Amino acid sequence: MNGENENTVKLTGLGAPHKDKTYVLDKEEFLIGRARDCDLRMEENTISGRHAKILKVQDHYEIEDLQSTNGTFLNDMRVSRKRLRSGDKIKFDQFEFLFTDPSDVSRTIVATPSLLAEAQKTVVRPHPPSAVPLSPAPTTAPSPAVLSRPSSNVRGGSAAAGVVVAVILAFLVGLGGNILFQQILIAGSGGSLLGSAWDNAKSMARIYPTMHQAHLWVKADFSRWQNIVSILLIILSVVLAGMAAQAIGRRKRIPIALAFGAVFVLAALVMQIACLQFRIQALPLLYAGLVRGLPPWPSFALGIAYIFGVVFVLSLVGTLLVRRGR
């Protein structure tokens, strides 16, 4: 970059897509993130809008994380704010940069009063000869690699946990919401709110998995507001589940949506088989009508794939709604 010289303070990319790119720290506050006003703009989805900043503080620089989603790491340790030394490696999520400050001599052995005072706070003085035990107990110092390794849950959660929570959330909102909605309608017409709840739950569980098929929505009678609310609850359930899967999983959006779609359809199929007393030939999916004239099992497979496609698209919408900024 322009303006570089032997005294330039800079960041140098160490890996794709920023490998060998140099960014000069020529401001009091150097902002890193995905927003347009950032000095080092990174367009990756795992980078927050305003992810971190580097501050010039008197005669040195400091890195400060701006409450980013996926964290800022200094020499593989997650930090909120820390002083930088020349040669430090900084990661914004998984994207690594080398910090270089030619004026930083703090890593050389110079016996200045300030450095001596700082060193005395952490130095371990040896025992005098008379106090040294004859048979000291062996100690095993942890290796630097262990000390510097971030914990596994710092950078994100579990994809499996995200999928499981998403499936539960989808059923609670979609199935539970429709059951509650039907009971409210019954109560509004003079019936008992809890009187037929169990029968309604069994009936709704039998048909709930097929309610995700888009062609059923097209055939729905939209002149009745009750049908509109019911369909909106189904859509909302999967969108919210997609958001939960992405927020907990902290993984790529498409793979997490694929995983959620597959597990959701499998869970819905198991639930429907159980509700129909394991009579798989009675499943409505066998008669989805996607391709007329096919034998039952190919039709069943196409029905499964069709529902999976609908759930996948809705859950992908949910993951796209997850805020990656601050």
Side-chain angles (χ1 to χ4, degrees), residues 5-129:
N5 55 54
E6 61 181 9
N7 294 320
T8 297
V9 180
K10 60 188 177 182
L11 289 179
T12 305
L14 297 179
H18 306 279
K19 185 173 177 59
D20 297 329
K21 293 182 180 179
T22 301
Y23 303 89
V24 177
L25 306 181
D26 53 359
K27 303 174 64 175
E28 296 293 323
E29 289 192 3
F30 187 87
L31 189 61
I32 301 100
R34 209 174 68 247
R36 293 183 179 274
D37 59 343
C38 290
D39 302 295
L40 195 172
R41 189 180 178 197
M42 305 172 69
E43 298 183 354
E44 291 75 19
N45 290 330
T46 55
I47 299 297
S48 299
R50 287 176 173 79
H51 195 102
K53 64 181 177 181
I54 296 178
L55 306 166
K56 182 173 176 56
V57 182
Q58 297 178 357
D59 61 344
H60 66 275
Y61 288 81
E62 296 182 5
I63 182 74
E64 180 179 352
D65 182 75
L66 300 178
Q67 298 181 4
S68 64
T69 301
N70 291 332
T72 300
F73 299 82
L74 179 60
N75 299 322
D76 289 329
M77 295 293 292
R78 188 164 187 168
V79 296
S80 55
R81 181 162 178 165
K82 195 76 173 177
R83 176 174 177 170
L84 291 173
R85 311 281 190 175
S86 186
D88 280 343
K89 292 182 179 180
I90 308 171
K91 280 185 181 179
F92 308 106
D93 183 39
Q94 58 182 330
F95 304 102
E96 190 170 33
F97 294 81
L98 175 68
F99 172 75
T100 305
D101 181 3
S103 64
D104 180 19
V105 295
S106 59
R107 287 193 169 179
T108 61
I109 303 176
V110 180
T112 62
S114 60
L115 288 178
L116 287 174
E118 183 177 353
Q120 287 175 352
K121 297 178 181 179
T122 57
V123 68
V124 178
R125 299 184 181 278
H127 294 285

Side-chain angles (χ1 to χ4, degrees), residues 20 34 70 148 212 228-229 244 269 274 276 287:
D20 297 329
R34 209 174 68 247
N70 291 332
S148 62
H212 291 267
I228 297 176
V229 173
L269 181 60
L276 293 172
Y287 314 105

Side-chain angles (χ1 to χ4, degrees), residues 176-197 200 204 225-226 229 233:
N178 270 284
I179 293 172
L180 179 61
F181 177 59
Q182 294 298 326
Q183 292 306 116
I184 291 175
L185 292 180
I186 292 173
S189 60
S192 171
L193 180 64
L194 300 177
S196 60
N200 186 23
M204 186 67 67
W225 67 271
Q226 295 93 333
V229 173
L233 282 170

Side-chain angles (χ1 to χ4, degrees), residues 167 171 209 261-273:
V167 170
F171 280 113
V263 175
F264 176 85
V265 172
L266 178 62
L269 181 60
V270 170
M271 180 186 72
Q272 195 177 59
I273 293 174

Side-chain angles (χ1 to χ4, degrees), residues 175-222:
L175 176 59
N178 270 284
I179 293 172
L180 179 61
F181 177 59
Q182 294 298 326
Q183 292 306 116
I184 291 175
L185 292 180
I186 292 173
S189 60
S192 171
L193 180 64
L194 300 177
S196 60
W198 177 241
D199 292 336
N200 186 23
K202 291 189 295 183
S203 175
M204 186 67 67
R206 289 189 180 96
I207 65 173
Y208 176 71
T210 60
M211 292 172 71
H212 291 267
Q213 297 181 80
H215 70 274
L216 293 181
W217 305 346
V218 174
K219 295 179 181 179
D221 181 8
F222 286 100

